[in-house]
Each structure stands twice: as structure tokens, then as C-alpha cells.
């Protein structure tokens, strides 16, 4: 099984030491990326905010959602209007087992009402501008009410979740910063300026806790296709029946020749490294079933990897 290693996928290819998670939103050719996000519930134990259970949207001065744009993109980086998307609330949680079909077929996303949208300008620069958009005040009130019920009755009504879905006319997939692994640093934020008392304005900032991107892409059956972010993987099977019993293979080399004419990649160019996992049972493709990992480095159009003590045939 060959795939790009985590260190060099487009979602974190800017620096090996950068451990921010990243999300993708957009559409390019037959490729589409949506992101689901869930916010922290920062007000759960705040008795001083109990008045929010009876709150109304007219007391919210403003509600802004900020996405932190990263430099990597796949698609038309010359057109600042290439990306547009809409934001919807989610009805339920999702898991690592969720996929493109399950989030749309199982009612995870409520597309009956748009709660935010972006169709502005976003120019490609070394330091990208952030996206700041108005967020639906009524949904915030709904979350406030459900928060209070959850606090007093130990309910689980509020999901604090939203989904980002690109418009059909989008011609780019953009990258946005997510939460930072094993730290308190977060990605996107929702800033709510509200009237706490008659003459007292306060700000509540809710940050993203969990994000996950889902991808739709064309099926390729004729050739070995590899892509890290959307986890397109290929399996190579080898017939070793000709090897005599008790033979030990100390070294073997695998060469993979790249077809550049069929490569689609973003503004960080082609990756230079692939990773391979040894599977003794090819019916399984989970990383947990890999017996050993190998890396292949690219020289011109060919990837080379060396297997050491690969097979001991009984």
C-alpha cells in the first residue's frame, strides 16, 4: 500500500515542524472538499451567564466567524473570486468512520437555512488574508438555549457544529488552519459581541475544537493513484511463490515511475516522498495492519524505495 506520508500531504506541507491541523474548502474540476467543524462549549459552567437562556437575537450587537487562510491551494490562484461557499448547521455529531456519503445521506447537515456565506475577494499572497463573515444570530440564540438545558438537565441537545460547503461555481480548494495538536491553540473562532446589561457590552469568543474535511473525487481504476489529503491509496500485490522455502530476502528495491501528464497538484508543487506500508494480508488496508513502513524518495520522475529484510518465506 503506497500513499503520501503525513509530513508531506498538502494539509501540512508548509513545514514539517508545523503541527496545526488543516481543513480544505472548495471545488476544483471533479474534486470537492467540505469541512465539518464543532466549537468548544466555553460557557457550560458559567453561572454568571444564565441570563442567556432567555436571550434574544436583538441583543446581539454582532456575530463574526473568522477562518485563518493558509497559503496552499489547489486550483485557480490567479482569480481572487475563485472561492465561494455557504455554511450550515449540523444536526448531529460525526466520527472518524464518517465519509462523504454518510454526512449527506444520514442527515448530519441541515441545509434548510444558510447561517453564513462567503463570496468575496481572497487574493493569493505570501501572507494570506483571513476570511471574516457574518454569522447567523438566531443559531447562536438556539445554542444558548440548548446550552442552558444541557447545563440544568444534563441533555446533549447542542452540537455546536457547522458545515462548510463550496458553491458550484468555485474553481479552487483552499486551506484553513485548524486546532493545534496537543496545545490550547485553536483554529477558527466565532466572536459574539452582546449586550450583557443595559449599558454593558461584552464579547464571547468560541473557538473550534474539532474539524474534519471530507472529499469527493473521480474514481480511477486503470492506474495506481496516490493522494495524501483525500487518502487515495493504491495496493501493489506481489507473487512470491517462486521463492524457495526458508529463503531470506535481505534487500529489494521498488521503482515507481510518475506520469506527470496525469498529475494534479497545487501551488506547492509535487511531493517528493511517498510512504509504503507492508501488508501481509491484502484484504486489510488499515494503517493498524501495516507490519512495517517504508519511504520512497523521488529522483526526477521515479520514486525509489529499498526494502530490507522484507520477506522470510517459510
Amino acid at each position: 500500500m503506497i500513499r503520501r506520508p503525513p509530513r508531506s500531504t498538502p494539509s501540512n506541507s508548509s513545514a514539517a515542524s508545523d503541527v496545526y491541523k488543516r481543513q480544505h474548502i472548495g471545488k476544483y474540476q471533479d474534486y470537492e472538499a467540505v469541512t465539518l467543524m464543532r466549537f468548544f462549549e466555553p460557557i457550560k459552567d458559567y453561572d454568571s451567564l444564565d441570563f442567556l437562556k432567555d436571550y434574544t437575537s436583538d441583543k446581539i450587537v454582532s456575530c463574526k466567524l473568522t477562518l485563518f487562510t493558509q497559503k496552499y491551494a489547489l486550483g485557480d490562484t490567479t482569480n481572487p473570486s475563485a472561492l465561494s461557499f455557504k455554511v450550515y448547521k449540523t444536526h448531529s455529531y460525526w466520527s472518524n468512520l464518517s465519509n462523504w456519503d454518510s454526512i449527506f445521506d444520514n442527515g448530519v447537515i441541515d441545509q434548510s437555512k444558510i447561517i453564513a456565506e462567503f463570496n468575496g475577494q481572497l487574493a493569493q499572497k505570501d501572507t494570506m488574508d483571513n476570511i471574516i463573515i457574518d454569522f447567523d444570530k438566531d443559531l447562536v440564540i438556539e445554542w444558548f438555549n440548548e446550552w442552558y438545558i444541557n447545563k440544568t438537565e444534563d441533555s446533549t441537545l447542542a452540537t455546536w457544529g457547522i458545515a462548510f460547503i463550496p458553491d458550484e461555481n468555485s474553481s479552487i480548494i483552499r486551506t484553513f488552519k485548524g486546532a493545534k495538536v496537543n496545545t490550547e491553540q485553536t483554529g477558527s473562532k466565532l466572536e459574539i459581541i452582546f449586550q450583557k446589561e443595559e449599558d454593558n457590552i461584552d464579547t464571547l469568543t468560541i473557538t473550534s475544537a474539532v474539524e474534519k474535511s471530507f472529499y469527493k473525487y473521480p474514481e480511477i481504476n486503470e492506474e495506481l493513484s496516490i493522494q495524501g489529503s483525500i487518502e487515495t491509496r493504491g495496493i501493489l500485490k506481489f507473487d512470491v511463490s517462486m521463492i524457495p522455502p526458508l529463503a531470506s530476502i535481505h534487500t529489494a528495491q521498488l521503482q515507481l515511475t510518475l506520469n506527470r501528464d496525469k498529475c494534479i497538484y497545487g501551488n506547492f508543487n509535487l511531493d517528493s516522498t511517498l510512504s509504503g506500508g507492508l501488508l501481509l494480508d491484502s484484504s486489510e488496508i488499515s494503517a493498524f495492519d501495516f507490519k512495517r513502513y517504508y519511504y520512497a524518495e523521488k529522483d526526477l520522475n521515479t520514486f525509489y524505495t529499498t526494502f530490507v529484510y522484507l520477506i522470510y518465506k517459510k
Side-chain angles (χ1 to χ4, degrees):
M1 180 179 180
I2 306 295
R3 62 175 181 171
R4 285 184 178 138
R7 65 182 181 185
S8 62
T9 60
S11 58
N12 60 2
S13 54
S14 61
S17 60
D18 189 351
V19 291
Y20 278 105
K21 291 178 61 180
R22 286 177 171 80
Q23 289 71 52
H24 299 114
I25 305 170
K27 184 177 174 63
Y28 175 66
Q29 296 183 4
D30 295 326
Y31 297 83
E32 188 171 352
V34 306
T35 286
L36 270 58
M37 177 185 298
R38 192 159 68 242
F39 292 100
F40 281 111
E41 192 174 350
I43 58 178
K44 186 172 183 179
D45 300 316
Y46 282 53
D47 292 335
S48 62
L49 295 176
D50 281 356
F51 66 90
L52 292 176
K53 66 180 173 50
D54 299 318
Y55 221 58
T56 54
S57 59
D58 61 294
K59 295 183 180 179
I60 295 180
V61 178
S62 73
C63 189
K64 301 283 187 180
L65 176 64
T66 300
L67 302 178
F68 298 95
T69 315
Q70 303 293 280
K71 189 177 179 180
Y72 175 82
L74 173 64
D76 185 5
T77 57
T78 63
N79 179 9
S81 302
L83 177 67
S84 63
F85 61 82
K86 293 180 174 59
V87 186
Y88 303 92
K89 78 171 184 177
T90 58
H91 278 307
S92 59
Y93 298 121
W94 61 92
S95 72
N96 288 334
L97 299 178
S98 300
N99 56 36
W100 181 276
D101 293 332
S102 67
I103 64 172
F104 285 102
D105 296 344
N106 296 340
V108 174
I109 304 172
D110 179 2
Q111 293 184 256
S112 63
K113 180 181 179 181
I114 299 169
I115 60 173
E117 59 184 319
F118 173 76
N119 53 12
Q121 302 282 302
L122 187 60
Q124 186 71 30
K125 299 187 290 187
D126 287 339
T127 301
M128 296 294 298
D129 294 329
N130 298 326
I131 289 180
I132 303 175
I133 51 179
D134 290 321
F135 193 86
D136 185 62
K137 297 178 181 179
D138 290 332
L139 179 58
V140 173
I141 295 301
E142 179 182 320
W143 282 346
F144 282 165
N145 294 335
E146 292 177 348
W147 156 75
Y148 185 77
I149 295 173
N150 183 48
K151 174 184 172 182
T152 56
E153 301 178 11
D154 196 26
S155 173
T156 56
L157 289 175
T159 63
W160 299 86
I162 56 177
F164 300 83
I165 300 180
D167 294 334
E168 284 297 321
N169 61 350
S170 289
S171 57
I172 195 170
I173 296 176
R174 288 240 174 239
T175 309
F176 300 92
K177 186 182 76 174
K180 195 170 186 180
V181 179
N182 297 324
T183 75
E184 294 182 357
Q185 297 185 55
T186 58
S188 304
K189 67 177 182 179
L190 183 62
E191 190 173 73
I192 306 163
I193 300 176
F194 64 99
Q195 186 175 348
K196 191 172 182 180
E197 298 170 354
E198 186 173 348
D199 297 319
N200 187 1
I201 300 297
D202 205 348
T203 301
L204 176 65
T205 301
I206 304 175
T207 55
S208 61
V210 179
E211 309 98 344
K212 183 173 175 60
S213 293
F214 298 85
Y215 307 93
K216 183 173 71 172
Y217 49 91
E219 193 171 324
I220 302 175
N221 297 317
E222 300 160 358
E223 298 176 280
L224 182 66
S225 180
I226 304 159
Q227 216 293 325
S229 289
I230 59 178
E231 298 183 348
T232 301
R233 302 165 177 174
I235 297 179
L236 296 177
K237 298 180 180 180
F238 298 93
D239 181 2
V240 295
S241 61
M242 65 195 72
I243 301 174
L246 301 181
S248 178
I249 298 178
H250 296 278
T251 303
Q253 187 178 70
L254 174 67
Q255 298 182 19
L256 298 173
T257 302
L258 185 69
N259 186 346
R260 283 183 173 267
D261 293 336
K262 292 190 176 182
C263 289
I264 298 176
Y265 52 91
N267 55 349
F268 282 6
N269 296 320
L270 281 170
D271 285 339
S272 60
T273 306
L274 301 178
S275 70
L278 174 62
L279 291 170
L280 298 185
D281 180 1
S282 61
S283 65
E284 298 289 345
I285 60 172
S286 169
F288 296 106
D289 296 297
F290 292 164
K291 303 303 178 184
R292 187 173 295 177
Y293 277 98
Y294 299 91
Y295 288 91
E297 299 294 336
K298 183 163 66 70
D299 182 9
L300 298 178
N301 283 343
T302 304
F303 288 89
Y304 297 91
T305 186
T306 299
F307 303 102
V308 181
Y309 302 113
L310 174 63
I311 299 174
Y312 183 80
K313 185 184 178 187
K314 296 182 179 180

